[in-house]
Amino acid sequence: MDSLRVMVVDDSSITIKKLTQILEQIGHSVICSCKTGTEALAYYQQYQPDMVTMDITMPDMDGIEATRQIINRFPKALIIMVTSHGQEQMVIESIDIGAKGYILKPIKADKLAEMINQVYEKYKL
Amino acid sequence: MTEHSPNWAMSSTVIDFFSTELMIETTSTTSELNTIQKMELNYLTSLINVEGSIKMFVALSYDKGLFNEIFARYTADLDIAEDEQEEALTDSAGDIINIIVGNTLADVNETDKKIIMSPPLVITAAQQIACQRNSLFYKANLITKYGALDVYLLK
């Protein structure tokens, strides 16, 4: 599998650091990160990442709305939702609008690698 | 209180999270169900509001020694610069309550209706929160070798 250029969207600096560390350990690079849905839209347009990890619960624009707006403008965007247990309906809503998968917190390297591989193999251009 | 009540599940989830993710064992637990006019807060408190098919307000209030130990373990493998410490501390507290409340909701939600968790709030300089008169609350006090955690759940 190719090394992917990933954008990380999460309002927690710690989760951004953890995701960045895991993504780099499994051979990918984090080309940008941001903490709000509004920034995610602008950063996606600017950096055109191969894949996005998107937190669901964020202040200002949440991850579902940010995903909706990115998919509207970039229908082939590969977005993986990051959320905690207990948010299954939010995950279903995200998948319905075009997110390609999800992982649950606390984030485990093997689960993230598996989800990235699964999404990449299914949707790679 | 049953195994599927939010009260029971919340304490259970905290104990499990501390043990499996942070290797911190809870040595004793006490709990009470009562009415409240104010919550007495410890060194650091994180809060989340839950709306939807389950409605509740959750607060986790940590002793300083316990939270410092949790922070050290939760961020052990990360590089955090001196000027990032304060943000890292509050973000860690936010991450942890998000995971704990989410896991609790997964245990107790018996419907397929949407549940919305607010972004977490973290406060460090407050001594108490005033509540609506006679709010019903559940409080658990969890003791570890590093200090105590008070779990508040208001419905």
Side-chain angles (χ1 to χ4, degrees):
Chain A
M1 180 181 173
D2 299 333
S3 173
L4 302 179
R5 300 158 56 254
V6 183
M7 177 169 95
V8 175
V9 185
D10 201 296
D11 62 336
S12 163
S13 62
I14 294 299
T15 301
I16 290 174
K17 283 181 185 286
K18 283 180 182 267
L19 278 166
T20 300
Q21 186 181 67
I22 293 171
L23 287 162
E24 289 174 352
Q25 280 170 358
I26 61 179
H28 305 300
S29 60
V30 174
I31 56 164
C32 62
S33 62
C34 57
K35 294 187 170 187
T36 71
T38 306
E39 286 178 320
L41 291 176
Y43 280 36
Y44 191 93
Q45 185 157 12
Q46 181 179 348
Y47 291 97
Q48 304 272 315
D50 299 317
M51 198 167 286
V52 178
T53 67
M54 179 76 76
D55 186 21
I56 287 185
T57 305
M58 293 186 290
D60 95 344
M61 184 191 299
D62 68 26
I64 295 176
E65 183 56 28
T67 296
R68 187 194 318 275
Q69 294 196 26
I70 289 173
I71 296 284
N72 280 346
R73 289 162 70 177
F74 305 94
K76 293 181 179 175
L78 301 183
I79 301 177
I80 294 173
M81 308 308 289
V82 178
T83 188
S84 54
H85 287 277
Q87 298 282 275
E88 284 76 8
Q89 291 306 311
M90 307 283 268
V91 169
I92 291 169
E93 191 175 335
S94 304
I95 300 294
D96 285 347
I97 60 171
K100 302 300 188 286
Y102 70 97
I103 57 164
L104 296 171
K105 297 177 182 176
I107 300 154
K108 306 294 183 192
D110 57 339
K111 299 287 185 190
L112 179 59
E114 186 182 324
M115 180 52 63
I116 287 175
N117 286 342
Q118 192 179 313
V119 168
Y120 182 76
E121 290 305 320
K122 188 171 180 182
Y123 297 100
K124 65 184 175 186
L125 301 177
Chain B
M1 208 180 306
T2 69
E3 188 171 332
H4 292 289
S5 74
N7 304 346
W8 186 92
M10 188 68 67
S11 297
S12 177
T13 305
V14 172
I15 292 167
D16 283 351
F17 180 82
F18 281 6
S19 178
T20 59
E21 297 294 330
L22 303 169
M23 309 305 163
I24 293 175
E25 300 305 325
T26 302
T27 54
S28 70
T29 307
T30 57
S31 62
E32 59 182 302
L33 188 61
N34 214 325
T35 55
I36 188 175
Q37 291 187 9
K38 63 185 178 186
M39 277 190 285
E40 300 292 343
L41 304 182
N42 302 320
Y43 164 69
L44 180 144
T45 302
S46 51
L47 310 107
I48 275 187
N49 190 50
V50 178
E51 293 288 339
S53 60
I54 295 175
K55 296 181 195 301
M56 61 183 181
F57 176 80
V58 181
L60 303 182
S61 191
Y62 301 86
D63 280 351
K64 186 172 185 177
L66 174 58
F67 192 77
N68 285 344
E69 187 64 28
I70 288 171
F71 178 64
R73 293 177 185 227
Y74 190 67
T75 61
D77 53 351
L78 303 177
D79 292 326
I80 300 171
E82 193 61 37
D83 63 353
E84 296 175 322
Q85 285 285 327
E86 190 175 339
E87 183 183 26
L89 193 101
T90 55
D91 283 356
S92 295
D95 284 358
I96 290 167
I97 192 171
N98 189 280
I99 293 166
I100 287 170
V101 173
N103 284 347
T104 303
L105 293 173
D107 285 343
V108 302
N109 185 25
E110 294 172 338
T111 74
D112 57 1
K113 291 180 181 167
K114 186 156 78 173
I115 299 173
I116 299 170
M117 288 162 48
S118 70
L121 289 175
V122 178
I123 52 178
T124 54
Q127 294 183 319
Q128 58 184 225
I129 295 177
C131 302
Q132 205 169 29
R133 193 177 181 87
N134 296 328
S135 297
L136 183 65
F137 83 106
Y138 164 81
K139 179 187 176 186
N141 177 249
L142 278 54
I143 306 292
T144 75
K145 67 185 284 190
Y146 305 104
L149 167 68
D150 290 326
V151 178
Y152 288 96
L153 194 154
L154 278 78
K155 292 189 273 186

